[in-house]
Amino acid sequence: MIRLSGLKLPLDHAPEAMAPAICARLGLEADELRGHSLVRRGNDARRRSAIQLVYTMDVDVTDEASVLARFAQDHDVRPTPDTGYRFVTHAPDGWRGRRPVVIGAGPCGLFAGLVLAQMGFRPIILDRGKVVRERTKDTWGLWRRAELNPDSNVQFGEGGAGTFSDGKLYCRVKDPRFLGRKVLEEFVAAGAPEDILWEAHPHIGTFRLVSMVEAMRRQIEALGGEYRWQTRVDDLVLERSGDGARRLRGLVLQDGSVLETGQAILAIGHSARPTFAMLHRQGVEMQAKPFSIGVRIEHPQGWIDRARYGNCAGHPDLGAAAYSLAHHCGNGRTVYSFCMCPGGRVVAATSEEGRVVTNGMSQYSRAEFNANSGLVVGIEPERDYPEGPLAGIDFQRHWESLAFVAGGSSYWAPGQTVGDFLADRPSRALGSVEPSYKPGVTPTDLSQCLPPFVIEAFREALPVFGRQIANYDHPDAVMTGVETRTSSPLRITRGRDFQSINVTGLYPAGEGAGYAGGILSAAIDGIKVAEAVGQAIVSG
Ligand SMILES: Cc1cc2nc3c(=O)[nH]c(=O)nc-3n(C[C@H](O)[C@H](O)[C@H](O)COP(=O)(O)OP(=O)(O)OC[C@H]3O[C@@H](n4cnc5c(N)ncnc54)[C@H](O)[C@@H]3O)c2cc1C
């Protein structure tokens, strides 16, 4: 097969237009084309008056070699790659060795658990939170009644941080083994919509994510895996070998019991603050790392659709428009849009009492009234929190606590209209754009709960973004804060064998350990680390 990329056809093209377009592109007669199948579909909306759909197709031709030779210099015409997943090892038949443990049932832990189970290693998966349907009730408890459960919320529980989300499934990590394809195929097998396999910017939406993680749990349990909910790892049992190296011997659980194991995958996410403190206390090597801080900004989705798609706004093949913005400011900071959620809502994403945190989510339909996105500024340890590996957590907590107070100390979030913000005056009321954050938004002054350099950078960037997307800086657009958990504030150092560089048997993985940013890259990292654990067990 030949993989043909970058094939453009007009919006509303007839399905029958595909074959002639392929023939024209490859200089083929109609009878030289035996078949074609869809690999990817995106759109090119740079010219709003002539929006095009952009396809990648697998093409079956009568004389593949001559076509490939004719297009040898053309990067859009290549042999179709083999994207099949191959297990790197398997447990010996009847294997009954000491079971590996996965700490955390987010995307990273879920895929680490799945691949370990598929390889026959019967993993034990621990999570401090609850099973997804119970967790959903607790999360709604915060959103509807301002009641926070610190162990069961948007950050903690089955499915991890990504469950209440837009479920965007794309990432920028290099993926020469097409592990991302394995993730998408497993998601489809678990009930995700098929279009995630070919949409350029696939997304799943929250309600579908819930039933999918349940289906994957059933698969892991059927393969001999085991889940333990409301089981927080509170400490490590380590032993020192003759050469002074430290090795994992077990995990101390919240009930004080010890779970013996020689291999544990640390897939604990970016909000596992007490666990980071414990690991630091135990001398597990880690460093502070850059992340970003800011707010969520909301506009009516219709404004964004019109700005991006003009008269084609609302077209079924285009869906709710997304955007990606960035601006380098005079104060040396960069403002950029983060985790944009078309047709979604802003959610209360805190996991700690007395702190307010925002994030965003959408349903698969992306049909809610507002568009929202993180609007954030990059920060780094040396410049903003140089005090040590855990200093980024202190930095987050500081602004989250101020946001809690500015919102009225009730998990309501502080909000401000763009008009008031740019005029440097507190909001007394909100305008025509109704904020979606629940339990509620308190009109106030966001400069009370964000660093001055962020405020300064926003004041410079918003008018710039308003010239790129009409009405982006509309006075009634509304900002809700604070967005502090954009990625992990630290990295737990690991070697080429995916083990902690100073504790053998401990495998830092996923977003929390600083090796992923987003659902797909966390899942991919989970697969890689599971493979390393499997190989370590087999090689003994
Ligand atoms: C509201 C929201 C929306 C998002 N939207 C998207 C999106 O659309 N697309 C996207 O790609 N990314 C999105 N993200 C980011 C994405 O969710 C994360 O990047 C991803 O979930 C990271 O996966 P992970 O498995 O590494 O960690 P997590 O998903 O954070 O999972 C970590 C798990 O570890 C458990 N845990 C922590 N400490 C312990 C302990 N001591 N003992 C036992 N268990 C423990 C937690 O309970 C949690 O379930 C969103 C995040 C949020 C919060």
Side-chain angles (χ1 to χ4, degrees):
M1 291 283 261
I2 292 176
R3 180 152 293 185
L4 171 59
S5 310
L7 187 69
K8 295 188 174 175
L9 280 90
L11 211 48
D12 292 323
H13 71 84
E16 307 74 58
M18 182 58 75
I22 292 171
C23 290
R25 174 71 175 81
L26 296 177
L28 301 170
E29 296 303 325
D31 59 3
E32 292 178 290
L33 178 63
R34 286 200 291 231
H36 54 84
S37 59
L38 175 62
V39 174
R40 182 176 294 277
R41 188 188 74 171
N43 69 62
D44 180 350
R46 286 169 295 174
R47 286 181 49 224
R48 287 185 317 173
S49 58
I51 296 178
Q52 296 183 296
L53 296 177
V54 184
Y55 291 94
T56 298
M57 303 297 290
D58 275 344
V59 179
D60 183 10
V61 298
T62 50
D63 186 351
E64 193 170 300
S66 84
V67 173
L68 288 172
R70 259 189 295 127
F71 290 92
Q73 305 311 315
D74 188 330
H75 294 293
D76 285 333
V77 182
R78 288 277 167 260
T80 295
D82 173 0
T83 60
Y85 177 75
R86 287 174 185 70
F87 291 99
V88 297
T89 187
H90 267 284
D93 287 347
W95 179 83
R96 279 292 177 269
R98 195 152 45 170
R99 302 162 78 181
V101 177
V102 178
I103 310 170
C108 177
L110 182 60
F111 275 85
L114 178 68
V115 169
L116 281 169
Q118 289 171 336
M119 295 192 292
F121 291 107
R122 307 167 51 245
I124 299 172
I125 302 170
L126 312 175
D127 200 289
R128 64 178 288 171
K130 297 181 184 175
V131 72
V132 70
R133 301 232 173 226
E134 291 304 309
R135 179 195 176 192
T136 304
K137 293 182 195 142
D138 295 326
T139 303
W140 289 108
L142 174 63
W143 298 352
R144 292 188 175 156
R145 300 183 303 277
E147 290 164 12
L148 173 68
N149 178 330
D151 276 313
S152 181
N153 48 60
V154 161
Q155 305 293 349
F156 300 149
E158 181 171 23
T163 307
F164 302 97
S165 84
D166 183 24
K168 285 182 285 297
L169 295 172
Y170 39 97
C171 65
R172 293 194 185 88
V173 292
K174 285 204 175 52
D175 185 18
R177 293 180 50 215
F178 301 97
L179 298 179
R181 184 77 188 178
K182 159 91 171 155
V183 174
L184 298 181
E185 287 171 354
E186 292 287 358
F187 274 154
V188 170
E194 292 245 351
D195 64 18
I196 66 168
L197 295 173
W198 47 263
E199 278 287 2
H201 292 108
H203 77 281
I204 295 177
T206 291
F207 288 154
R208 295 205 178 199
L209 278 162
V210 168
S211 51
M212 284 162 51
V213 292
E214 287 178 323
M216 294 178 77
R217 167 170 25 103
R218 287 192 292 273
Q219 190 189 352
I220 291 171
E221 288 173 337
L223 291 165
E226 175 194 340
Y227 282 83
R228 300 186 191 172
W229 302 112
Q230 295 177 277
T231 305
R232 191 183 57 239
V233 171
D234 281 352
D235 211 335
L236 306 175
V237 179
L238 303 176
E239 82 177 7
R240 205 174 276 283
S241 52
D243 59 2
R246 294 190 304 160
R247 163 170 291 284
L248 181 71
R249 272 290 164 253
L251 304 167
V252 182
L253 308 181
Q254 69 193 75
D255 64 2
S257 65
V258 171
L259 175 58
E260 292 197 4
T261 184
Q263 281 89 14
I265 296 178
L266 264 180
I268 53 177
H270 59 34
S271 293
R273 297 169 170 181
T275 315
F276 293 142
M278 175 273 286
L279 295 166
H280 183 56
R281 214 176 36 249
Q282 281 278 19
V284 174
E285 167 76 26
M286 57 176 73
Q287 289 134 359
K289 80 170 202 24
F291 63 102
S292 301
I293 184 172
V295 297
R296 281 264 137 186
I297 188 166
E298 284 185 278
H299 305 84
Q301 182 64 47
W303 293 3
I304 306 297
D305 292 348
R306 267 193 302 288
R308 295 278 336 275
Y309 298 146
N311 297 335
C312 297
H315 190 288
D317 283 343
L318 297 176
Y323 62 76
S324 174
L325 295 166
H327 175 68
H328 304 294
C329 301
N331 68 0
R333 301 287 180 169
T334 297
V335 178
Y336 64 99
S337 58
F338 167 78
C339 192
M340 194 264 168
C341 296
R345 60 181 43 238
V346 179
V347 295
T350 189
S351 56
E352 289 186 335
E353 274 150 7
R355 304 203 164 103
V356 158
V357 177
T358 59
N359 209 307
M361 73 172 235
S362 306
Q363 297 304 342
Y364 178 64
S365 60
R366 289 178 162 176
E368 297 195 52
F369 191 78
N370 283 357
N372 78 77
S373 176
L375 188 68
V376 295
V377 170
I379 53 176
E380 61 237 12
E382 304 71 29
R383 193 176 185 180
D384 303 305
Y385 42 97
E387 301 83 10
L390 302 177
I393 296 173
D394 300 336
F395 186 96
Q396 291 170 322
R397 281 179 164 151
H398 173 72
W399 299 106
E400 293 170 7
S401 304
L402 290 175
F404 180 76
V405 174
S409 300
S410 59
Y411 297 106
W412 282 48
Q416 191 171 16
T417 64
V418 166
D420 289 337
F421 177 81
L422 291 175
D424 192 7
R425 64 173 175 255
S427 283
R428 304 272 172 246
L430 299 171
S432 63
V433 179
E434 193 185 333
S436 57
Y437 174 101
K438 297 291 179 239
V441 172
T442 305
T444 180
D445 180 353
L446 285 168
S447 67
Q448 298 172 65
C449 46
L450 285 167
F453 63 80
V454 171
I455 301 296
E456 186 187 355
F458 281 178
R459 293 220 163 99
E460 180 180 324
L462 281 164
V464 174
F465 294 156
R467 291 192 288 276
Q468 294 168 14
I469 296 182
N471 287 321
Y472 198 84
D473 56 344
H474 187 284
D476 286 358
V478 64
M479 303 192 288
T480 307
V482 287
E483 185 102 355
T484 52
R485 318 241 181 129
T486 48
S487 78
S488 184
L490 53 82
R491 176 167 293 118
I492 303 173
T493 321
R494 70 185 187 191
R496 295 168 71 82
D497 60 3
F498 295 93
Q499 295 189 73
S500 155
I501 55 166
N502 64 347
V503 176
T504 307
L506 197 62
Y507 293 78
E511 179 157 57
Y515 298 99
I519 296 167
L520 192 59
S521 63
I524 289 172
D525 198 56
I527 295 173
K528 290 179 184 169
V529 176
E531 292 175 340
V533 168
Q535 288 167 319
I537 293 173
V538 167
S539 60

